Amino acid sequence: AQTVTQSQPEMSVQEAETVTLSCTYDTSESDYYLFWYKQPPSRQMILVIRQEAYKQQNATENRFSVNFQKAAKSFSLKISDSQLGDAAMYFCALKGSNYKLTFGKGTLLTVNP
Amino acid sequence: EAGVAQSPRYKIIEKRQSVAFWCNPISGHATLYWYQQILGQGPKLLIQFQNNGVVDDSQLPKDRFSAERLKGVDSTLKIQPAKLEDSAVYLCASTKTGGKAYGYTFGSGTRLTVV
């Protein structure tokens, strides 16, 4: 069985500052993918960034980057230069050999002007 | 490309009534998922279709929930009879294949309130 844990129910950040959201996971597999999804009040889940477990290099998408620590089973998301539009629920998710996404409980990010 | 369409957007029903949700995935996406997202929690997989066949429905409460995907395109999820604990957002998602690298494309969901 695979599990995903997000220990921060809520986080806040000042506009233009940097914030890091934490995620840990557990899986017995060695080949899997990790994802961060954003869910704004519109409810539509939007893919932010993905990381392949076999790649050592951390993924980056514009202001979003991850810190992937495979041995520690940790996958944190860093948002740089935070914008008001970044305010949303953020979900960490894992996909293994069963090809199904397993989600964490989410972190609610507030961006203060 | 058009996204995943879901309807209705909101639904309020009384307990013991029945309700149905509809999903139209992205054209060409063979794999379709239904997730249940209870307030304050992450989405939980209910059922996965590959074309018009069920791949996994192990988390679907089959005494009250049913789902179908006729002709491998649109899908409907039904609850009969509804319970208070079924209040949640029901998300539909699709993907081209079931491969690990592919994220899902989600619809905007249906928010169900059972009173």
CSV table of all heavy atoms in Angstrom, one decimal, chain B residues 45-106:
chain,number,residue,atom,x,y,z
B,45,LEU,N,-10.0,7.6,-4.6
B,45,LEU,CA,-10.5,6.9,-5.8
B,45,LEU,C,-11.7,6.0,-5.5
B,45,LEU,O,-11.6,5.2,-4.6
B,45,LEU,CB,-9.3,6.1,-6.4
B,45,LEU,CG,-9.7,5.3,-7.7
B,45,LEU,CD1,-10.0,6.3,-8.8
B,45,LEU,CD2,-8.6,4.3,-8.0
B,46,LEU,N,-12.7,6.2,-6.3
B,46,LEU,CA,-13.9,5.3,-6.2
B,46,LEU,C,-13.8,4.2,-7.3
B,46,LEU,O,-14.1,3.1,-7.0
B,46,LEU,CB,-15.2,6.1,-6.4
B,46,LEU,CG,-15.5,7.1,-5.3
B,46,LEU,CD1,-16.8,7.9,-5.7
B,46,LEU,CD2,-15.8,6.3,-4.0
B,47,ILE,N,-13.6,4.6,-8.5
B,47,ILE,CA,-13.6,3.6,-9.6
B,47,ILE,C,-12.7,4.1,-10.8
B,47,ILE,O,-12.6,5.3,-11.0
B,47,ILE,CB,-15.1,3.4,-10.1
B,47,ILE,CG1,-15.1,2.2,-11.0
B,47,ILE,CG2,-15.7,4.6,-10.6
B,47,ILE,CD1,-16.6,1.7,-11.3
B,48,GLN,N,-12.1,3.2,-11.4
B,48,GLN,CA,-11.3,3.4,-12.6
B,48,GLN,C,-11.8,2.6,-13.8
B,48,GLN,O,-12.1,1.4,-13.7
B,48,GLN,CB,-9.9,3.1,-12.3
B,48,GLN,CG,-8.9,3.2,-13.5
B,48,GLN,CD,-7.5,2.7,-13.3
B,48,GLN,OE1,-7.2,2.3,-12.2
B,48,GLN,NE2,-6.7,2.7,-14.3
B,49,PHE,N,-12.0,3.3,-14.9
B,49,PHE,CA,-12.4,2.6,-16.2
B,49,PHE,C,-11.3,2.7,-17.2
B,49,PHE,O,-10.5,3.7,-17.3
B,49,PHE,CB,-13.6,3.4,-16.8
B,49,PHE,CG,-14.9,3.2,-16.1
B,49,PHE,CD1,-15.3,4.2,-15.2
B,49,PHE,CD2,-15.7,2.2,-16.3
B,49,PHE,CE1,-16.5,4.1,-14.5
B,49,PHE,CE2,-16.9,2.0,-15.7
B,49,PHE,CZ,-17.3,3.0,-14.8
B,50,GLN,N,-11.1,1.6,-17.9
B,50,GLN,CA,-10.2,1.6,-19.1
B,50,GLN,C,-11.2,1.4,-20.3
B,50,GLN,O,-11.7,0.3,-20.4
B,50,GLN,CB,-9.2,0.6,-19.0
B,50,GLN,CG,-8.2,0.5,-20.2
B,50,GLN,CD,-7.2,1.7,-20.1
B,50,GLN,OE1,-7.0,2.3,-19.1
B,50,GLN,NE2,-6.6,1.9,-21.3
B,51,ASN,N,-11.3,2.4,-21.2
B,51,ASN,CA,-12.4,2.3,-22.2
B,51,ASN,C,-13.7,2.1,-21.5
B,51,ASN,O,-14.1,2.9,-20.6
B,51,ASN,CB,-12.0,1.3,-23.3
B,51,ASN,CG,-10.8,1.6,-24.0
B,51,ASN,OD1,-10.6,2.8,-24.5
B,51,ASN,ND2,-9.8,0.7,-24.0
B,52,ASN,N,-14.5,1.0,-21.8
B,52,ASN,CA,-15.8,0.9,-21.1
B,52,ASN,C,-15.7,-0.2,-20.1
B,52,ASN,O,-16.8,-0.7,-19.6
B,52,ASN,CB,-16.9,0.6,-22.2
B,52,ASN,CG,-16.6,-0.6,-23.0
B,52,ASN,OD1,-15.5,-1.2,-22.9
B,52,ASN,ND2,-17.6,-1.1,-23.7
B,53,GLY,N,-14.5,-0.7,-19.7
B,53,GLY,CA,-14.4,-1.7,-18.7
B,53,GLY,C,-13.9,-1.2,-17.4
B,53,GLY,O,-13.1,-0.3,-17.4
B,54,VAL,N,-14.3,-1.8,-16.3
B,54,VAL,CA,-13.9,-1.5,-15.0
B,54,VAL,C,-12.6,-2.1,-14.7
B,54,VAL,O,-12.4,-3.3,-14.8
B,54,VAL,CB,-14.9,-1.9,-13.9
B,54,VAL,CG1,-14.4,-1.6,-12.5
B,54,VAL,CG2,-16.3,-1.2,-14.2
B,55,VAL,N,-11.6,-1.3,-14.3
B,55,VAL,CA,-10.3,-1.8,-13.9
B,55,VAL,C,-10.2,-2.0,-12.4
B,55,VAL,O,-9.7,-3.0,-11.9
B,55,VAL,CB,-9.2,-0.8,-14.4
B,55,VAL,CG1,-7.8,-1.2,-13.8
B,55,VAL,CG2,-9.2,-0.6,-15.9
B,56,ASP,N,-10.8,-1.0,-11.7
B,56,ASP,CA,-10.7,-1.1,-10.2
B,56,ASP,C,-11.9,-0.4,-9.6
B,56,ASP,O,-12.1,0.8,-9.8
B,56,ASP,CB,-9.4,-0.5,-9.7
B,56,ASP,CG,-9.2,-0.6,-8.2
B,56,ASP,OD1,-10.1,-1.1,-7.5
B,56,ASP,OD2,-8.2,-0.1,-7.7
B,57,ASP,N,-12.7,-1.1,-8.8
B,57,ASP,CA,-13.8,-0.5,-8.1
B,57,ASP,C,-13.8,-1.0,-6.7
B,57,ASP,O,-14.8,-1.1,-6.0
B,57,ASP,CB,-15.2,-0.8,-8.8
B,57,ASP,CG,-15.5,-2.3,-8.8
B,57,ASP,OD1,-14.6,-3.1,-8.4
B,57,ASP,OD2,-16.6,-2.7,-9.3
B,58,SER,N,-12.6,-1.3,-6.2
B,58,SER,CA,-12.5,-1.9,-4.8
B,58,SER,C,-12.9,-0.9,-3.7
B,58,SER,O,-13.3,-1.3,-2.6
B,58,SER,CB,-11.0,-2.3,-4.6
B,58,SER,OG,-10.1,-1.2,-4.7
B,59,GLN,N,-12.9,0.4,-4.0
B,59,GLN,CA,-13.2,1.4,-3.0
B,59,GLN,C,-14.7,2.0,-3.2
B,59,GLN,O,-15.1,2.9,-2.5
B,59,GLN,CB,-12.3,2.6,-3.0
B,59,GLN,CG,-10.8,2.2,-2.7
B,59,GLN,CD,-10.7,1.7,-1.3
B,59,GLN,OE1,-11.1,2.3,-0.4
B,59,GLN,NE2,-10.0,0.5,-1.2
B,60,LEU,N,-15.4,1.4,-4.1
B,60,LEU,CA,-16.7,1.8,-4.4
B,60,LEU,C,-17.7,1.1,-3.5
B,60,LEU,O,-17.8,-0.1,-3.5
B,60,LEU,CB,-17.1,1.6,-5.9
B,60,LEU,CG,-18.4,2.2,-6.4
B,60,LEU,CD1,-18.2,3.7,-6.6
B,60,LEU,CD2,-18.8,1.5,-7.7
B,61,PRO,N,-18.5,1.9,-2.7
B,61,PRO,CA,-19.5,1.2,-1.9
B,61,PRO,C,-20.7,0.7,-2.7
B,61,PRO,O,-21.6,1.4,-3.0
B,61,PRO,CB,-20.0,2.4,-0.9
B,61,PRO,CG,-19.0,3.5,-1.1
B,61,PRO,CD,-18.5,3.3,-2.5
B,62,LYS,N,-20.5,-0.6,-3.1
B,62,LYS,CA,-21.4,-1.1,-4.2
B,62,LYS,C,-22.9,-1.3,-3.7
B,62,LYS,O,-23.7,-1.5,-4.6
B,62,LYS,CB,-20.8,-2.4,-4.7
B,62,LYS,CG,-19.5,-2.3,-5.3
B,62,LYS,CD,-18.9,-3.6,-5.8
B,62,LYS,CE,-17.5,-3.5,-6.3
B,62,LYS,NZ,-16.6,-3.1,-5.2
B,63,ASP,N,-23.1,-1.2,-2.4
B,63,ASP,CA,-24.5,-1.3,-2.0
B,63,ASP,C,-25.3,-0.1,-2.3
B,63,ASP,O,-26.6,-0.2,-2.4
B,63,ASP,CB,-24.6,-1.6,-0.5
B,63,ASP,CG,-23.9,-0.5,0.3
B,63,ASP,OD1,-23.0,0.1,-0.2
B,63,ASP,OD2,-24.3,-0.3,1.5
B,64,ARG,N,-24.6,1.0,-2.6
B,64,ARG,CA,-25.4,2.2,-2.9
B,64,ARG,C,-24.8,3.0,-4.1
B,64,ARG,O,-25.5,3.8,-4.7
B,64,ARG,CB,-25.4,3.2,-1.7
B,64,ARG,CG,-26.0,2.6,-0.5
B,64,ARG,CD,-26.1,3.5,0.7
B,64,ARG,NE,-24.7,3.9,1.1
B,64,ARG,CZ,-24.2,5.1,0.9
B,64,ARG,NH1,-24.9,6.0,0.2
B,64,ARG,NH2,-23.0,5.4,1.3
B,65,PHE,N,-23.6,2.8,-4.5
B,65,PHE,CA,-23.0,3.5,-5.6
B,65,PHE,C,-22.9,2.5,-6.8
B,65,PHE,O,-22.6,1.3,-6.7
B,65,PHE,CB,-21.5,3.9,-5.2
B,65,PHE,CG,-21.4,5.1,-4.3
B,65,PHE,CD1,-21.9,5.0,-3.0
B,65,PHE,CD2,-20.9,6.3,-4.7
B,65,PHE,CE1,-21.8,6.1,-2.1
B,65,PHE,CE2,-20.8,7.3,-3.8
B,65,PHE,CZ,-21.2,7.2,-2.5
B,66,SER,N,-23.1,3.1,-8.0
B,66,SER,CA,-22.9,2.4,-9.2
B,66,SER,C,-22.3,3.4,-10.2
B,66,SER,O,-22.5,4.6,-10.1
B,66,SER,CB,-24.2,1.8,-9.7
B,66,SER,OG,-25.1,2.8,-10.0
B,67,ALA,N,-21.6,2.8,-11.2
B,67,ALA,CA,-21.0,3.7,-12.2
B,67,ALA,C,-21.0,2.9,-13.5
B,67,ALA,O,-20.8,1.7,-13.5
B,67,ALA,CB,-19.6,4.2,-11.9
B,68,GLU,N,-21.1,3.6,-14.6
B,68,GLU,CA,-21.0,3.0,-15.9
B,68,GLU,C,-20.3,3.9,-16.9
B,68,GLU,O,-20.3,5.1,-16.7
B,68,GLU,CB,-22.3,2.5,-16.4
B,68,GLU,CG,-23.3,3.6,-16.7
B,68,GLU,CD,-24.7,3.1,-17.1
B,68,GLU,OE1,-24.9,1.9,-17.2
B,68,GLU,OE2,-25.5,3.9,-17.5
B,69,ARG,N,-19.7,3.3,-17.9
B,69,ARG,CA,-19.1,4.1,-19.0
B,69,ARG,C,-19.4,3.4,-20.3
B,69,ARG,O,-18.7,2.6,-20.8
B,69,ARG,CB,-17.6,4.2,-18.8
B,69,ARG,CG,-17.0,5.2,-19.7
B,69,ARG,CD,-15.4,5.2,-19.6
B,69,ARG,NE,-14.9,6.3,-20.5
B,69,ARG,CZ,-13.6,6.3,-20.8
B,69,ARG,NH1,-12.7,5.4,-20.4
B,69,ARG,NH2,-13.2,7.3,-21.6
B,70,LEU,N,-20.6,3.8,-20.8
B,70,LEU,CA,-21.1,3.2,-22.0
B,70,LEU,C,-20.3,3.7,-23.2
B,70,LEU,O,-20.0,4.9,-23.3
B,70,LEU,CB,-22.6,3.5,-22.2
B,70,LEU,CG,-23.5,2.9,-21.1
B,70,LEU,CD1,-24.9,3.3,-21.3
B,70,LEU,CD2,-23.3,1.4,-21.1
B,71,LYS,N,-19.9,2.8,-24.1
B,71,LYS,CA,-19.2,3.2,-25.4
B,71,LYS,C,-17.8,3.8,-25.1
B,71,LYS,O,-17.2,4.4,-26.0
B,71,LYS,CB,-20.1,4.2,-26.2
B,71,LYS,CG,-21.4,3.6,-26.7
B,71,LYS,CD,-22.2,4.6,-27.5
B,71,LYS,CE,-23.5,4.0,-27.9
B,71,LYS,NZ,-24.3,5.0,-28.7
B,72,GLY,N,-17.4,3.6,-23.9
B,72,GLY,CA,-16.0,4.1,-23.6
B,72,GLY,C,-15.8,5.6,-23.6
B,72,GLY,O,-14.6,6.0,-23.7
B,73,VAL,N,-16.9,6.4,-23.5
B,73,VAL,CA,-16.7,7.8,-23.6
B,73,VAL,C,-17.3,8.4,-22.3
B,73,VAL,O,-16.6,8.4,-21.2
B,73,VAL,CB,-17.4,8.4,-24.8
B,73,VAL,CG1,-17.1,9.9,-24.9
B,73,VAL,CG2,-16.8,7.8,-26.1
B,74,ASP,N,-18.5,8.9,-22.3
B,74,ASP,CA,-19.2,9.5,-21.1
B,74,ASP,C,-19.3,8.5,-20.0
B,74,ASP,O,-19.4,7.3,-20.3
B,74,ASP,CB,-20.6,10.0,-21.5
B,74,ASP,CG,-20.5,11.2,-22.5
B,74,ASP,OD1,-19.4,11.5,-23.0
B,74,ASP,OD2,-21.5,11.8,-22.7
B,75,SER,N,-19.4,9.0,-18.8
B,75,SER,CA,-19.6,8.1,-17.7
B,75,SER,C,-20.6,8.8,-16.7
B,75,SER,O,-20.7,10.0,-16.6
B,75,SER,CB,-18.3,7.9,-16.9
B,75,SER,OG,-18.5,7.1,-15.8
B,76,THR,N,-21.4,7.9,-16.0
B,76,THR,CA,-22.3,8.4,-15.0
B,76,THR,C,-22.0,7.7,-13.7
B,76,THR,O,-21.6,6.5,-13.7
B,76,THR,CB,-23.7,8.2,-15.4
B,76,THR,OG1,-23.9,6.8,-15.6
B,76,THR,CG2,-24.1,9.0,-16.5
B,77,LEU,N,-22.1,8.4,-12.6
B,77,LEU,CA,-21.9,7.9,-11.3
B,77,LEU,C,-23.3,8.1,-10.5
B,77,LEU,O,-23.8,9.2,-10.5
B,77,LEU,CB,-20.8,8.6,-10.5
B,77,LEU,CG,-20.6,8.2,-9.1
B,77,LEU,CD1,-20.0,6.7,-9.0
B,77,LEU,CD2,-19.6,9.1,-8.4
B,78,LYS,N,-23.8,7.0,-9.9
B,78,LYS,CA,-25.1,7.1,-9.3
B,78,LYS,C,-25.0,6.7,-7.8
B,78,LYS,O,-24.2,5.8,-7.5
B,78,LYS,CB,-26.1,6.2,-10.0
B,78,LYS,CG,-26.4,6.6,-11.4
B,78,LYS,CD,-27.4,5.7,-12.1
B,78,LYS,CE,-27.7,6.1,-13.5
B,78,LYS,NZ,-28.6,5.2,-14.2
B,79,ILE,N,-25.8,7.4,-7.0
B,79,ILE,CA,-25.9,7.0,-5.6
B,79,ILE,C,-27.3,6.8,-5.3
B,79,ILE,O,-28.2,7.7,-5.6
B,79,ILE,CB,-25.3,8.2,-4.7
B,79,ILE,CG1,-23.9,8.6,-5.1
B,79,ILE,CG2,-25.3,7.7,-3.2
B,79,ILE,CD1,-23.4,9.8,-4.3
B,80,GLN,N,-27.6,5.6,-4.7
B,80,GLN,CA,-29.0,5.3,-4.4
B,80,GLN,C,-29.1,4.2,-3.3
B,80,GLN,O,-28.7,3.1,-3.6
B,80,GLN,CB,-29.8,4.8,-5.7
B,80,GLN,CG,-31.2,4.5,-5.5
B,80,GLN,CD,-31.9,4.1,-6.7
B,80,GLN,OE1,-31.3,3.8,-7.7
B,80,GLN,NE2,-33.2,4.0,-6.7
B,81,PRO,N,-29.6,4.5,-2.1
B,81,PRO,CA,-30.0,5.8,-1.6
B,81,PRO,C,-28.9,6.6,-1.0
B,81,PRO,O,-27.9,6.0,-0.5
B,81,PRO,CB,-31.0,5.4,-0.6
B,81,PRO,CG,-30.4,4.1,0.0
B,81,PRO,CD,-29.8,3.4,-1.2
B,82,ALA,N,-28.9,7.9,-1.0
B,82,ALA,CA,-27.9,8.7,-0.5
B,82,ALA,C,-27.9,8.7,1.1
B,82,ALA,O,-29.0,8.7,1.7
B,82,ALA,CB,-27.9,10.1,-1.0
B,83,LYS,N,-26.7,8.9,1.7
B,83,LYS,CA,-26.6,9.0,3.1
B,83,LYS,C,-25.9,10.4,3.4
B,83,LYS,O,-25.3,11.0,2.5
B,83,LYS,CB,-25.8,7.9,3.7
B,83,LYS,CG,-26.4,6.5,3.7
B,83,LYS,CD,-25.5,5.5,4.4
B,83,LYS,CE,-26.2,4.2,4.5
B,83,LYS,NZ,-25.3,3.2,5.2
B,84,LEU,N,-26.1,10.8,4.6
B,84,LEU,CA,-25.5,12.1,5.0
B,84,LEU,C,-24.0,12.1,4.7
B,84,LEU,O,-23.4,13.2,4.3
B,84,LEU,CB,-25.7,12.4,6.5
B,84,LEU,CG,-27.2,12.6,6.8
B,84,LEU,CD1,-27.3,12.9,8.4
B,84,LEU,CD2,-27.8,13.8,6.1
B,85,GLU,N,-23.3,11.0,5.0
B,85,GLU,CA,-21.8,11.0,4.8
B,85,GLU,C,-21.4,11.0,3.3
B,85,GLU,O,-20.2,11.0,3.1
B,85,GLU,CB,-21.3,9.7,5.5
B,85,GLU,CG,-21.8,8.4,5.0
B,85,GLU,CD,-22.9,7.9,6.0
B,85,GLU,OE1,-23.7,8.7,6.5
B,85,GLU,OE2,-22.9,6.6,6.2
B,86,ASP,N,-22.4,10.9,2.4
B,86,ASP,CA,-22.0,11.0,1.0
B,86,ASP,C,-21.8,12.5,0.6
B,86,ASP,O,-21.4,12.7,-0.6
B,86,ASP,CB,-23.1,10.4,0.1
B,86,ASP,CG,-23.3,8.9,0.4
B,86,ASP,OD1,-22.3,8.3,0.8
B,86,ASP,OD2,-24.4,8.4,0.2
B,87,SER,N,-22.0,13.4,1.4
B,87,SER,CA,-21.8,14.8,1.1
B,87,SER,C,-20.3,15.0,0.8
B,87,SER,O,-19.5,14.7,1.7
B,87,SER,CB,-22.2,15.7,2.3
B,87,SER,OG,-23.6,15.7,2.5
B,88,ALA,N,-20.0,15.5,-0.4
B,88,ALA,CA,-18.6,15.6,-0.8
B,88,ALA,C,-18.6,16.2,-2.2
B,88,ALA,O,-19.6,16.5,-2.8
B,88,ALA,CB,-18.0,14.2,-0.9
B,89,VAL,N,-17.4,16.4,-2.7
B,89,VAL,CA,-17.2,16.8,-4.1
B,89,VAL,C,-16.8,15.6,-4.9
B,89,VAL,O,-15.9,14.8,-4.4
B,89,VAL,CB,-16.1,17.9,-4.3
B,89,VAL,CG1,-15.8,18.1,-5.7
B,89,VAL,CG2,-16.5,19.2,-3.6
B,90,TYR,N,-17.5,15.3,-6.0
B,90,TYR,CA,-17.2,14.2,-6.8
B,90,TYR,C,-16.5,14.7,-8.1
B,90,TYR,O,-17.0,15.4,-8.9
B,90,TYR,CB,-18.5,13.4,-7.1
B,90,TYR,CG,-19.0,12.7,-5.9
B,90,TYR,CD1,-19.8,13.5,-5.0
B,90,TYR,CD2,-18.7,11.4,-5.6
B,90,TYR,CE1,-20.3,12.9,-3.8
B,90,TYR,CE2,-19.1,10.8,-4.4
B,90,TYR,CZ,-19.9,11.6,-3.5
B,90,TYR,OH,-20.4,11.0,-2.4
B,91,LEU,N,-15.2,14.2,-8.1
B,91,LEU,CA,-14.3,14.7,-9.2
B,91,LEU,C,-14.2,13.5,-10.3
B,91,LEU,O,-14.0,12.4,-9.9
B,91,LEU,CB,-13.0,15.0,-8.7
B,91,LEU,CG,-12.8,16.2,-7.7
B,91,LEU,CD1,-11.5,16.2,-7.0
B,91,LEU,CD2,-13.0,17.5,-8.5
B,92,CYS,N,-14.3,14.0,-11.5
B,92,CYS,CA,-14.0,13.0,-12.6
B,92,CYS,C,-12.6,13.5,-13.2
B,92,CYS,O,-12.3,14.6,-13.3
B,92,CYS,CB,-15.1,13.1,-13.7
B,92,CYS,SG,-14.8,12.1,-15.1
B,93,ALA,N,-11.9,12.5,-13.6
B,93,ALA,CA,-10.6,12.8,-14.2
B,93,ALA,C,-10.3,11.8,-15.4
B,93,ALA,O,-10.9,10.7,-15.4
B,93,ALA,CB,-9.4,12.6,-13.2
B,94,SER,N,-9.5,12.2,-16.3
B,94,SER,CA,-9.2,11.3,-17.5
B,94,SER,C,-7.7,11.4,-17.8
B,94,SER,O,-7.1,12.4,-17.5
B,94,SER,CB,-10.1,11.6,-18.7
B,94,SER,OG,-9.8,12.8,-19.3
B,95,THR,N,-7.2,10.4,-18.5
B,95,THR,CA,-5.9,10.4,-19.0
B,95,THR,C,-5.8,9.5,-20.2
B,95,THR,O,-6.6,8.6,-20.4
B,95,THR,CB,-4.9,9.9,-17.9
B,95,THR,OG1,-3.6,10.1,-18.3
B,95,THR,CG2,-5.1,8.5,-17.5
B,96,LYS,N,-4.8,9.8,-21.1
B,96,LYS,CA,-4.7,9.1,-22.3
B,96,LYS,C,-4.4,7.6,-22.1
B,96,LYS,O,-5.0,6.7,-22.6
B,96,LYS,CB,-3.5,9.6,-23.2
B,96,LYS,CG,-4.0,10.7,-24.2
B,96,LYS,CD,-2.8,11.0,-25.1
B,96,LYS,CE,-3.3,12.0,-26.1
B,96,LYS,NZ,-2.2,12.4,-27.0
B,97,THR,N,-3.5,7.3,-21.2
B,97,THR,CA,-3.1,6.0,-20.8
B,97,THR,C,-3.0,5.9,-19.3
B,97,THR,O,-3.1,6.9,-18.6
B,97,THR,CB,-1.8,5.5,-21.4
B,97,THR,OG1,-0.7,6.1,-20.6
B,97,THR,CG2,-1.6,6.0,-22.9
B,98,GLY,N,-2.8,4.7,-18.8
B,98,GLY,CA,-2.7,4.5,-17.4
B,98,GLY,C,-1.2,4.7,-16.9
B,98,GLY,O,-0.9,4.4,-15.8
B,99,GLY,N,-0.4,5.1,-17.8
B,99,GLY,CA,1.1,5.1,-17.5
B,99,GLY,C,1.4,6.0,-16.3
B,99,GLY,O,0.7,7.0,-16.0
B,100,LYS,N,2.5,5.7,-15.6
B,100,LYS,CA,2.9,6.4,-14.4
B,100,LYS,C,3.2,7.9,-14.6
B,100,LYS,O,3.0,8.7,-13.8
B,100,LYS,CB,4.1,5.7,-13.8
B,100,LYS,CG,3.7,4.5,-12.9
B,100,LYS,CD,4.9,3.8,-12.4
B,100,LYS,CE,5.5,2.9,-13.3
B,100,LYS,NZ,6.5,2.0,-12.8
B,101,ALA,N,3.7,8.2,-15.8
B,101,ALA,CA,4.2,9.5,-16.0
B,101,ALA,C,3.1,10.5,-16.2
B,101,ALA,O,3.3,11.7,-16.1
B,101,ALA,CB,5.2,9.6,-17.2
B,102,TYR,N,1.9,10.0,-16.5
B,102,TYR,CA,0.9,11.0,-16.9
B,102,TYR,C,0.1,11.4,-15.7
B,102,TYR,O,-0.5,10.6,-14.9
B,102,TYR,CB,-0.1,10.3,-17.9
B,102,TYR,CG,0.6,10.0,-19.2
B,102,TYR,CD1,1.1,8.7,-19.5
B,102,TYR,CD2,0.7,11.0,-20.2
B,102,TYR,CE1,1.8,8.5,-20.7
B,102,TYR,CE2,1.3,10.7,-21.4
B,102,TYR,CZ,1.8,9.4,-21.7
B,102,TYR,OH,2.5,9.2,-22.8
B,103,GLY,N,0.0,12.7,-15.5
B,103,GLY,CA,-1.0,13.2,-14.5
B,103,GLY,C,-2.4,13.1,-15.1
B,103,GLY,O,-2.5,12.8,-16.3
B,104,TYR,N,-3.3,13.3,-14.3
B,104,TYR,CA,-4.7,13.3,-14.7
B,104,TYR,C,-5.1,14.7,-15.1
B,104,TYR,O,-4.6,15.7,-14.6
B,104,TYR,CB,-5.6,12.8,-13.7
B,104,TYR,CG,-5.4,11.5,-13.1
B,104,TYR,CD1,-6.0,11.1,-11.9
B,104,TYR,CD2,-4.5,10.6,-13.7
B,104,TYR,CE1,-5.8,9.8,-11.4
B,104,TYR,CE2,-4.3,9.3,-13.1
B,104,TYR,CZ,-4.9,8.9,-12.0
B,104,TYR,OH,-4.7,7.7,-11.4
B,105,THR,N,-6.2,14.8,-16.0
B,105,THR,CA,-6.9,16.1,-16.2
B,105,THR,C,-8.2,16.0,-15.5
B,105,THR,O,-9.0,15.0,-15.8
B,105,THR,CB,-7.1,16.3,-17.7
B,105,THR,OG1,-5.8,16.4,-18.4
B,105,THR,CG2,-7.8,17.7,-17.9
B,106,PHE,N,-8.4,16.9,-14.6
B,106,PHE,CA,-9.6,16.8,-13.8
B,106,PHE,C,-10.7,17.8,-14.3
B,106,PHE,O,-10.4,18.8,-14.8
B,106,PHE,CB,-9.3,17.2,-12.3
B,106,PHE,CG,-8.6,16.2,-11.5
B,106,PHE,CD1,-7.2,16.0,-11.6
B,106,PHE,CD2,-9.3,15.3,-10.7
B,106,PHE,CE1,-6.6,15.0,-10.9
B,106,PHE,CE2,-8.6,14.3,-10.0
B,106,PHE,CZ,-7.3,14.2,-10.1
